[in-house]
Amino acid sequence: MVPQLSEAVMDTIADALVETGYIVLPDTLPPSVCEQLLLSSKNATWDDFRPAAIGRGGEQQLVESIRSDQIRWLSEQRTADKLYLELMTQLREGMNKRLFMGLFDFESHYAIYEPGAFYKKHSDVLQGSRNRILTSVLFLNHDWKPEHGGELIVYDENDNKLETISPNFGKWVVFLSERFPHEVLRTEVNRYSIAGWFRVSNANHGF
């Protein structure tokens, strides 16, 4: 059965994007889907993952002093990925309906942070491009403890720290990509997540 995001959840997310620009949702996505995603990530071989790069297109480069996670792009050919992508399609359609955001595409990858890995403060909007509009991050870590580190730190446009978010299993963060620089603190254990971005075809959007 295809999982569904309720109209109430859509309303809650839309209201938060208007009021604050971001929202942290615990236990909103179906736990069964989250479990499948975690298994898909854990069961993959390291050959399936590759070091994450920064930049875009031909300017991509590996800079381990900035980020040191390993990634694998989602594919509709994998069952768990397809379920998650269907949920993200529902979110895209829901936000377009409520906020006229003009979202038309979604790209997403698994991210594994091994012990010692981190991602310094950055923006999801790639240099020379403003087509990433909305960011989605889903955490897949059972029994996360403060001593494990790996928190997501969200900043405002003036680099003031807004929130420290622990990467607990099923926690889902949605925010406007252009407005919130963020970082992932060093993790002491394996940390699993899925990051994704909704895009528009150009810089002109209705929101």
Side-chain angles (χ1 to χ4, degrees), residues 171-193:
K171 189 177 290 185
W172 184 30
V173 186
V174 181
F175 58 90
L176 297 175
S177 305
E178 296 179 353
R179 282 181 48 186
F180 299 101
H182 50 284
E183 68 175 315
V184 176
L185 299 184
R186 173 191 166 101
T187 183
E188 302 302 327
V189 298
N190 280 351
R191 176 191 187 274
Y192 301 91
S193 62

Short mmCIF file of all heavy atoms in Angstrom, two decimals, residues 171-193:
data_model
loop_
_atom_site.label_atom_id
_atom_site.label_comp_id
_atom_site.label_asym_id
_atom_site.label_seq_id
_atom_site.Cartn_x
_atom_site.Cartn_y
_atom_site.Cartn_z
N LYS A 171 12.77 11.33 12.88
CA LYS A 171 12.66 12.79 12.93
C LYS A 171 12.87 13.36 11.53
O LYS A 171 13.77 12.95 10.80
CB LYS A 171 13.68 13.38 13.91
CG LYS A 171 13.50 14.86 14.18
CD LYS A 171 14.50 15.35 15.22
CE LYS A 171 14.18 14.79 16.59
NZ LYS A 171 15.10 15.36 17.62
N TRP A 172 12.01 14.30 11.15
CA TRP A 172 11.98 14.83 9.78
C TRP A 172 12.05 16.35 9.84
O TRP A 172 11.26 16.98 10.56
CB TRP A 172 10.71 14.36 9.09
CG TRP A 172 10.55 14.72 7.65
CD1 TRP A 172 11.51 14.91 6.72
CD2 TRP A 172 9.29 14.91 6.97
NE1 TRP A 172 10.96 15.21 5.50
CE2 TRP A 172 9.59 15.20 5.63
CE3 TRP A 172 7.96 14.83 7.37
CZ2 TRP A 172 8.61 15.46 4.69
CZ3 TRP A 172 6.97 15.08 6.44
CH2 TRP A 172 7.30 15.38 5.10
N VAL A 173 12.99 16.93 9.13
CA VAL A 173 13.19 18.39 9.13
C VAL A 173 12.95 18.90 7.71
O VAL A 173 13.50 18.36 6.75
CB VAL A 173 14.62 18.76 9.58
CG1 VAL A 173 14.77 20.27 9.71
CG2 VAL A 173 14.97 18.06 10.89
N VAL A 174 12.13 19.94 7.59
CA VAL A 174 11.84 20.56 6.30
C VAL A 174 12.09 22.06 6.44
O VAL A 174 11.59 22.68 7.39
CB VAL A 174 10.37 20.30 5.87
CG1 VAL A 174 10.09 20.94 4.52
CG2 VAL A 174 10.07 18.80 5.84
N PHE A 175 12.87 22.64 5.52
CA PHE A 175 13.13 24.08 5.64
C PHE A 175 13.39 24.71 4.27
O PHE A 175 13.76 24.02 3.31
CB PHE A 175 14.30 24.35 6.59
CG PHE A 175 15.61 23.71 6.22
CD1 PHE A 175 16.52 24.37 5.40
CD2 PHE A 175 15.95 22.45 6.71
CE1 PHE A 175 17.74 23.80 5.07
CE2 PHE A 175 17.17 21.86 6.38
CZ PHE A 175 18.07 22.54 5.56
N LEU A 176 13.23 26.01 4.21
CA LEU A 176 13.50 26.77 3.00
C LEU A 176 15.01 26.81 2.76
O LEU A 176 15.76 27.32 3.60
CB LEU A 176 12.92 28.18 3.12
CG LEU A 176 11.40 28.26 3.26
CD1 LEU A 176 10.96 29.70 3.51
CD2 LEU A 176 10.70 27.70 2.02
N SER A 177 15.44 26.30 1.65
CA SER A 177 16.86 26.08 1.40
C SER A 177 17.68 27.36 1.44
O SER A 177 18.83 27.37 1.92
CB SER A 177 17.05 25.40 0.03
OG SER A 177 16.30 24.21 -0.07
N GLU A 178 17.13 28.45 0.93
CA GLU A 178 17.90 29.70 0.80
C GLU A 178 18.12 30.41 2.13
O GLU A 178 19.03 31.22 2.25
CB GLU A 178 17.19 30.64 -0.17
CG GLU A 178 17.10 30.11 -1.60
CD GLU A 178 16.36 31.07 -2.52
OE1 GLU A 178 15.81 32.07 -2.01
OE2 GLU A 178 16.33 30.82 -3.73
N ARG A 179 17.29 30.09 3.12
CA ARG A 179 17.27 30.92 4.33
C ARG A 179 18.09 30.37 5.49
O ARG A 179 18.39 31.11 6.44
CB ARG A 179 15.83 31.13 4.80
CG ARG A 179 15.10 32.17 3.97
CD ARG A 179 13.68 32.37 4.47
NE ARG A 179 13.58 32.56 5.91
CZ ARG A 179 12.42 32.64 6.56
NH1 ARG A 179 11.28 32.55 5.88
NH2 ARG A 179 12.40 32.80 7.87
N PHE A 180 18.45 29.09 5.44
CA PHE A 180 19.00 28.49 6.66
C PHE A 180 20.32 27.75 6.41
O PHE A 180 20.32 26.58 6.02
CB PHE A 180 17.97 27.52 7.27
CG PHE A 180 16.69 28.19 7.66
CD1 PHE A 180 15.58 28.09 6.85
CD2 PHE A 180 16.61 28.94 8.82
CE1 PHE A 180 14.38 28.71 7.19
CE2 PHE A 180 15.43 29.57 9.17
CZ PHE A 180 14.31 29.46 8.36
N PRO A 181 21.45 28.42 6.64
CA PRO A 181 22.71 27.68 6.68
C PRO A 181 22.65 26.65 7.81
O PRO A 181 21.92 26.83 8.80
CB PRO A 181 23.75 28.77 6.99
CG PRO A 181 23.07 30.06 6.68
CD PRO A 181 21.62 29.85 6.94
N HIS A 182 23.39 25.56 7.66
CA HIS A 182 23.33 24.50 8.67
C HIS A 182 24.61 23.68 8.62
O HIS A 182 25.39 23.78 7.69
CB HIS A 182 22.10 23.61 8.46
CG HIS A 182 21.96 23.12 7.05
ND1 HIS A 182 21.49 23.92 6.03
CD2 HIS A 182 22.23 21.92 6.48
CE1 HIS A 182 21.48 23.24 4.90
NE2 HIS A 182 21.93 22.02 5.14
N GLU A 183 24.82 22.89 9.66
CA GLU A 183 25.99 22.03 9.71
C GLU A 183 25.65 20.75 10.45
O GLU A 183 24.68 20.69 11.22
CB GLU A 183 27.17 22.73 10.38
CG GLU A 183 27.00 22.98 11.86
CD GLU A 183 28.25 23.58 12.49
OE1 GLU A 183 29.37 23.09 12.20
OE2 GLU A 183 28.11 24.53 13.28
N VAL A 184 26.46 19.72 10.22
CA VAL A 184 26.37 18.46 10.95
C VAL A 184 27.61 18.34 11.80
O VAL A 184 28.74 18.34 11.28
CB VAL A 184 26.25 17.26 10.00
CG1 VAL A 184 26.25 15.95 10.80
CG2 VAL A 184 25.00 17.37 9.14
N LEU A 185 27.40 18.26 13.12
CA LEU A 185 28.54 18.13 14.01
C LEU A 185 29.18 16.74 13.89
O LEU A 185 28.55 15.78 13.45
CB LEU A 185 28.10 18.37 15.46
CG LEU A 185 27.50 19.75 15.76
CD1 LEU A 185 27.19 19.87 17.24
CD2 LEU A 185 28.44 20.87 15.31
N ARG A 186 30.42 16.66 14.29
CA ARG A 186 31.16 15.38 14.27
C ARG A 186 30.36 14.31 14.99
O ARG A 186 29.84 14.53 16.09
CB ARG A 186 32.51 15.58 14.94
CG ARG A 186 33.31 14.29 15.13
CD ARG A 186 34.50 14.54 16.04
NE ARG A 186 35.09 13.29 16.49
CZ ARG A 186 36.19 12.75 15.97
NH1 ARG A 186 36.82 13.37 14.99
NH2 ARG A 186 36.65 11.60 16.43
N THR A 187 30.26 13.15 14.36
CA THR A 187 29.56 12.02 14.98
C THR A 187 30.58 11.02 15.53
O THR A 187 31.68 10.88 14.99
CB THR A 187 28.62 11.32 13.98
OG1 THR A 187 27.92 10.28 14.64
CG2 THR A 187 29.39 10.75 12.81
N GLU A 188 30.18 10.34 16.60
CA GLU A 188 31.07 9.35 17.22
C GLU A 188 30.66 7.93 16.86
O GLU A 188 31.39 6.98 17.18
CB GLU A 188 31.06 9.54 18.74
CG GLU A 188 31.49 10.92 19.22
CD GLU A 188 32.89 11.29 18.74
OE1 GLU A 188 33.74 10.38 18.62
OE2 GLU A 188 33.13 12.49 18.48
N VAL A 189 29.50 7.75 16.25
CA VAL A 189 29.03 6.43 15.80
C VAL A 189 28.46 6.60 14.39
O VAL A 189 28.28 7.72 13.92
CB VAL A 189 27.95 5.86 16.75
CG1 VAL A 189 28.51 5.66 18.15
CG2 VAL A 189 26.72 6.76 16.79
N ASN A 190 28.17 5.51 13.72
CA ASN A 190 27.55 5.61 12.40
C ASN A 190 26.23 6.36 12.49
O ASN A 190 25.39 6.06 13.34
CB ASN A 190 27.31 4.22 11.81
CG ASN A 190 28.56 3.62 11.20
OD1 ASN A 190 29.59 4.28 11.07
ND2 ASN A 190 28.48 2.36 10.82
N ARG A 191 26.05 7.32 11.60
CA ARG A 191 24.86 8.18 11.59
C ARG A 191 24.22 8.07 10.20
O ARG A 191 24.87 8.32 9.19
CB ARG A 191 25.27 9.63 11.87
CG ARG A 191 24.16 10.67 11.81
CD ARG A 191 24.82 12.04 11.84
NE ARG A 191 23.91 13.16 11.94
CZ ARG A 191 23.32 13.75 10.91
NH1 ARG A 191 23.51 13.28 9.67
NH2 ARG A 191 22.53 14.79 11.09
N TYR A 192 22.92 7.71 10.18
CA TYR A 192 22.21 7.48 8.92
C TYR A 192 21.13 8.54 8.71
O TYR A 192 20.38 8.88 9.65
CB TYR A 192 21.55 6.10 8.94
CG TYR A 192 22.51 4.95 9.12
CD1 TYR A 192 22.82 4.46 10.39
CD2 TYR A 192 23.14 4.37 8.02
CE1 TYR A 192 23.72 3.42 10.56
CE2 TYR A 192 24.04 3.31 8.18
CZ TYR A 192 24.33 2.85 9.46
OH TYR A 192 25.21 1.82 9.63
N SER A 193 21.04 9.04 7.48
CA SER A 193 20.01 10.04 7.17
C SER A 193 19.75 10.03 5.67
O SER A 193 20.47 9.40 4.90
CB SER A 193 20.44 11.44 7.62
OG SER A 193 21.62 11.84 6.94
#
